[in-house]
């Protein structure tokens, strides 16, 4: 295998995170104002289950699963109010609605969309040396990462 330079960088600064929420934000809204070392993270998913029988034979099967994502915003992010408006809508109506999260990674020419709902959030703005940011947790179904041009 010859050595060389990969033409795709791994820059995250140009990544685009967008959100829409049925009945509140029907069009995609770009989310801005990331925390210092975090903007979006995903929990691992378990997509299969295995069992080893006493006879030493392995059985396996697909397991339906959800994708959990965490959006981390700086305390001065204007996008906090996008998530807070969704939260207030849930409180007022005592009901949830579909939230879609779309991530575009231009540096590697890939994207991913997750459809689900907002399931959790930080309790408020904490006070330390600087104001603490906010985190928002969404759980949903992902079709996986897709290549884009």
């Amino acid at each position: 295998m010859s050595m060389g330079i990969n033409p795709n960088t791994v820059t995250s600064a140009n990544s685009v995170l967008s959100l829409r929420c049925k009945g509140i934000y029907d069009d995609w809204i770009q989310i801005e104002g990331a925390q210092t070392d975090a903007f979006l993270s995903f929990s691992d998913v378990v997509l299969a289950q295995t069992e080893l029988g006493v006879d030493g034979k392995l059985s396996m099967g697909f397991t339906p699963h959800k994708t959990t994502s965490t959006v981390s915003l700086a305390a001065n992010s204007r996008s906090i109010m996008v998530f807070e408006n969704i939260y207030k809508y849930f409180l007022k109506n005592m009901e949830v609605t579909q939230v879609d999260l779309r991530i575009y990674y231009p540096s590697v020419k890939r994207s991913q969309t997750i459809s689900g709902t907002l399931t959790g959030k930080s309790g408020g703005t904490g006070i330390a040396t600087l104001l603490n940011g906010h985190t928002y947790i969404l759980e949903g179904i992902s079709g996986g990462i897709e290549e884009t041009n």
Side-chain angles (χ1 to χ4, degrees), residues 33-89:
Q35 287 186 13
T36 304
D37 290 326
F39 190 20
L40 177 66
S41 61
F42 296 100
S43 297
D44 293 342
V45 297
V46 176
L47 54 118
Q49 198 169 352
T50 61
E51 295 177 350
L52 185 60
V54 294
D55 60 356
K57 299 208 185 275
L58 184 70
S59 299
M60 60 193 102
F62 175 80
T63 304
H65 58 277
K66 61 186 175 186
T67 299
T68 302
S69 57
T70 301
V71 177
S72 301
L73 300 175
N76 61 353
S77 169
R78 291 184 294 168
S79 295
I80 286 174
M81 291 316 301
V82 170
F83 286 95
E84 291 298 321
N85 288 337
I86 295 169
Y87 172 65
K88 289 182 220 177
Y89 178 89

Side-chain angles (χ1 to χ4, degrees), residues 95-108:
E95 187 60 81
V96 299
T97 188
Q98 182 174 329
V99 177
D100 300 314
L101 197 61
R102 180 175 64 192
I103 309 95
Y104 173 53
Y105 314 97
S107 61
V108 292

Side-chain angles (χ1 to χ4, degrees), residues 10 22 37 58 61 69 72 86 93 109-110 120 129 132 138:
V10 291
K22 189 176 181 180
D37 290 326
L58 184 70
S69 57
S72 301
I86 295 169
N93 295 291
K109 299 175 181 67
R110 295 182 189 137
T129 303
N132 293 332
L138 296 101

